[in-house]
Amino acid sequence: MSSLSSMFGCGVVMAPPQALGIGKRSDGGLTIVCSSRPQKKAIAHHMKTRPRKTQPWDINRKPTVYDPMPPLPPDWTLVIPADASSASAAPPPPSA
């Protein structure tokens, strides 16, 4: 096995293995990991793999136009009985 200095043709200074955290468990020091296939993190991955519109009919498509929504029913409906003297002033609230 050849040395690094003979491979590069010049002197190479290397840190001792203990300084790099090699051979022992590092207690929070910087550990350099050389990955040949690094993975993208969350948003970068989703941006890279998101579906893209490639067909002209899909690119030029306009948003769907829906009919307007009907008006919402009122929350409270006042019911007046035929005999107003026998009923209370306000109906009890509906139980939820």
Side-chain angles (χ1 to χ4, degrees):
M1 184 163 136
S2 61
S3 66
L4 285 175
S5 59
S6 65
M7 287 172 45
F8 292 113
C10 62
V12 177
V13 178
M14 291 186 61
Q18 292 81 17
L20 296 176
I22 300 172
K24 66 175 183 131
R25 186 174 183 100
S26 179
D27 294 329
L30 180 65
T31 303
I32 301 170
V33 179
C34 296
S35 175
S36 59
R37 297 181 65 93
Q39 296 180 353
K40 292 193 173 291
K41 294 184 179 178
I43 299 299
H45 168 76
H46 291 299
M47 290 300 290
K48 181 175 175 138
T49 60
R50 69 181 179 88
R52 290 177 174 82
K53 295 182 176 182
T54 57
Q55 300 295 320
W57 64 267
D58 202 11
I59 293 172
N60 299 327
R61 190 167 53 171
K62 302 292 185 226
T64 306
V65 178
Y66 295 102
D67 294 334
M69 300 269 306
L72 295 174
D75 290 339
W76 296 94
T77 305
L78 180 61
V79 178
I80 301 173
D83 185 13
S85 62
S86 65
S88 62
S95 60

